[in-house]
Amino acid sequence: MSPDGTQPARLTDAEIRAVFVGLLLAMLLAALDQNIVAVALPRIGAELQGMGMLAWVVSSYLIGSTVSTPLFGKLGDLAGRRTALSGAILFFVLGALGCALAPSMPWLIAARALQGIGGGAVIAVAQAAIAEVVAPRERGRYQIYFSGVHVVASVAGPVVGGLLTEHLSWHWIFWLNLPLGMLALAVSRKALARVPVPRERAPVDVAGALLLTGGLVALLVGITRIGMGVGPGTPSQLAAFGGAGLLLCAFVRQEGRAPEPLVPLSLFAIPTVRLSCCILFVGYMQLIALSVLVPMRSQMLFKAATGASALGLVPLTFGGPLGAYLAGRIMLRSGATRLLQVAGAGTVAAGVLALGLTRTLPGAEPLLLGLTGIGIGLQFPSSLVAIQNAVPGRHVGVATATAVFARSLGAAVGIALLSTTLLVCLGGSGGSGAAMMRELVASGAADSATLATAGAAFDTTFLVSAAIAASSFVVSLFLPHSALRSH
C-alpha cells in the first residue's frame, strides 16, 4: 500500500530488480562512509590537533543521521521515495566536500554532521522503498543483497581508508565520495521513477526535528566533556544535562500533538516495535564501537600501521553479512524473527565480553570479532523486518525510519559513552586521557607503564560495552511470537 493509503501500481520483476540495483548503489555510498573513516581517526586527531574532540568526528555524523532518518522517512511517505533519496544523496555529497576541505577539527565536525544527515537518510529511504514493493516474508531474501553491499563496504572501506591515509592523505577519504555520490544520484533517480508517489501532502515536523537535535547535542556534549576531564557536577555540565532533559521532554510532548510527528509515539505501543528498536539501539552501538575501538587499540598498543589495523576489522565485517545472510534464509523458510533476535543478542554479548577478557591471548581477537559480527548480522535484518511486519502498510516508511533512528541513536550515544569511558580510564592516574592518546599515536614506542595503563583502559571499555550488550539479550527474551506476512 502506498503512503497515502491507496494500492500502488504493481511492479514487474524486472522493475523491482532495477529499483533494487539503484537502492544498492545508494546504500553502498552510505555504508562505505561508515567504515572508511574509523581507521583514520588517530591520524586526523593528530594532524588537526584535536585528539580530545576525536569522538565528535563520529558522533556528529551519527547525530545528523539520527535526526535525519525519521525526518526523511516521513518525507518519503509524503513526497515519495525518489525525491527523498535524491535530497539525501545531495546532503551527503555536500558534507563530504566540506570534510575534504576541512582546515580544523570544528570545521570537520560540522561537515561530518551535514554528511550524516545525508547518510542516515539514504539508509532509511532505501529500506522503506524496498518495503513498498516486496512482501515482508520475502524481504529477508533481499536483505541478503543489502548484506552483500555491506560486505563490499566493510572490507573495502577500512582498507581503502587506511591506504589513502597512509600513502596520500585522510582528505582523500572524503574526495572519493564525490564521484560515487553523483553516480548514485543518477542511477537511483532513474530506478525509482516507477515507485508510487503519494497524492496527499502534510506538514513535516520541523519543531520536532529541532528539539531532537538540540537535546541530542546537549546530551552528547555533556557525555563527551566528562572524557575531557570536566566533572559531571560542574555548572556547565549540569546545564548541558538539564538542557538535554528539557529539550527531549519537549520533543516527546511535541510528537504527541504534531499532526505528522517525526517519530509517531503510537508505534511504541506495539511490543514488537518497542523491543526491536531497543535491540537495534544496542546492536548498532556495538558495531560502531568495535569499528572504532579495535583499530584504535591496534595502532596505540601494538603500533600497527593504519592499513594493517584496518585489516583487523575484516572478521567483523565478514561476520556481519554472513549473519544477515543466515537470517534472511531462516526468515524465508520459517516466517519468524524472534529466535534470530534472541540468538544474535546473546552472541554479541558473549563475543564483546570475551574481547575484553582475552586481549593478550594470541589469535583470539579475529575469531571473537567474527563471532560478534555474525551475532550483529542476525539481529539487524530480523529486527527491521519484525518492525515492518508489525505496523500497518501506510506506516511502513516511518516505521522503517524509526528503526534506523534507533540504530543511529544507539551509535551516537554509544560512541560518546564508550570513548568517554576510554578517556576517563586513560587519565585515571591523574594525567589527561587525550594527552596519553597523543603519546600512544606518536611515532616511537611508549614506555611499559603507559602501555599497561592503556591496555587496562581498553579492557575496561570492552567490559562496559559487554554489559550494555547483555541488556539487549534480556530485552529480546520478552519479544512476542509473530508470523511474517506473505503479502
Side-chain angles (χ1 to χ4, degrees):
M1 187 171 289
S2 68
D4 63 350
T6 61
Q7 189 72 22
R10 186 172 297 276
L11 274 64
T12 66
D13 289 343
E15 288 172 329
I16 292 176
R17 284 194 295 270
V19 168
F20 201 70
V21 169
L23 296 177
L24 285 177
L25 185 56
M27 288 281 285
L28 176 63
L29 180 70
L32 268 174
D33 196 72
Q34 291 177 349
N35 296 284
I36 201 170
V37 177
V39 295
L41 287 176
R43 184 73 62 85
I44 291 172
E47 288 191 15
L48 297 183
Q49 299 180 353
M51 198 65 78
M53 302 172 68
L54 207 56
W56 277 100
V57 178
V58 178
S59 293
S60 60
Y61 181 94
L62 295 171
I63 290 173
S65 63
T66 299
V67 175
S68 71
T69 48
L71 188 62
F72 274 79
K74 175 60 71 174
L75 179 63
D77 283 346
L78 300 176
R81 310 298 172 203
R82 187 172 185 241
T83 299
L85 187 61
S86 297
I89 293 173
L90 288 175
F91 269 104
F92 184 88
V93 170
L94 288 174
L97 179 61
C99 292
L101 298 173
S104 65
M105 188 65 84
W107 177 305
L108 178 64
I109 290 169
R112 283 286 287 169
L114 181 62
Q115 194 180 23
I117 290 173
V122 164
I123 293 174
V125 176
Q127 295 279 14
I130 283 297
E132 274 193 20
V133 297
V134 179
R137 188 159 182 164
E138 293 291 318
R139 283 176 211 155
R141 179 160 57 93
Y142 284 88
Q143 291 293 335
I144 295 170
Y145 300 106
F146 277 135
S147 300
V149 167
H150 282 282
V151 167
V152 175
S154 299
V155 174
V159 174
V160 172
L163 292 174
L164 289 175
T165 301
E166 196 168 341
H167 297 290
L168 294 173
S169 164
W170 60 263
H171 297 274
W172 282 93
I173 290 174
F174 301 106
W175 286 121
L176 183 65
N177 285 318
L178 272 61
L180 287 177
M182 292 297 99
L183 177 62
L185 179 64
V187 173
S188 63
R189 281 192 63 81
K190 181 179 179 181
L192 294 175
R194 279 273 291 154
V195 173
V197 178
R199 293 186 292 270
E200 297 180 2
R201 294 291 185 265
V204 176
D205 185 17
V206 176
L210 294 175
L211 288 169
L212 178 62
T213 303
L216 287 177
V217 169
L219 174 64
L220 297 180
V221 164
I223 293 173
T224 306
R225 279 165 57 86
I226 293 174
M228 297 169 67
V230 181
T234 60
S236 61
Q237 288 291 80
L238 292 175
F241 288 124
L246 289 174
L247 288 169
L248 292 175
C249 287
F251 168 72
V252 172
R253 184 170 182 268
Q254 166 67 17
E255 298 310 278
R257 64 183 183 180
E260 289 290 340
L262 195 65
V263 181
L265 300 182
S266 60
L267 292 179
F268 293 99
I270 304 171
T272 296
V273 174
R274 182 171 64 247
L275 298 176
S276 294
C277 281
C278 290
I279 292 170
L280 289 170
F281 178 93
V282 176
Y284 215 66
M285 178 188 295
Q286 303 303 319
L287 177 62
I288 297 299
L290 290 173
S291 298
V292 173
L293 292 174
V294 169
M296 190 179 289
R297 183 167 70 172
S298 297
Q299 292 177 48
M300 291 183 178
L301 297 188
F302 309 119
K303 297 300 177 184
T306 309
S309 66
L311 292 175
L313 289 175
V314 169
L316 176 68
T317 54
F318 268 112
L322 175 59
Y325 171 82
L326 295 173
R329 301 300 300 177
I330 293 170
M331 280 189 288
L332 184 61
R333 293 184 180 182
S334 69
T337 60
R338 183 181 183 274
L339 183 59
L340 292 168
Q341 292 170 281
V342 173
T347 301
V348 172
V352 177
L353 175 63
L355 282 168
L357 296 175
T358 59
R359 170 175 53 91
T360 58
L361 188 62
E365 184 175 282
L367 178 63
L368 293 173
L369 283 174
L371 181 67
T372 304
I374 291 173
I376 292 172
L378 290 174
Q379 292 179 84
F380 284 178
S382 57
S383 296
L384 176 61
V385 172
I387 290 170
Q388 292 174 337
N389 185 69
V391 302
R394 64 191 179 90
H395 287 320
V396 72
V398 73
T400 302
T402 301
V404 180
F405 167 83
R407 287 171 37 177
S408 300
L409 181 61
V413 173
I415 195 63
L417 179 63
L418 294 174
S419 64
T420 295
T421 301
L422 179 61
L423 283 168
V424 168
C425 292
L426 287 172
S429 58
S432 164
M436 183 174 286
M437 289 179 74
R438 284 193 295 271
E439 180 182 347
L440 290 165
V441 172
S443 58
D447 61 77
S448 58
T450 299
L451 289 174
T453 299
F458 275 102
D459 291 346
T460 300
T461 304
F462 277 106
L463 293 178
V464 170
S465 184
I468 297 170
S471 69
S472 177
F473 175 70
V474 174
V475 166
S476 70
L477 298 176
F478 293 92
L479 283 163
H481 293 274
S482 58
L484 296 177
R485 299 191 305 269
S486 58
H487 61 278

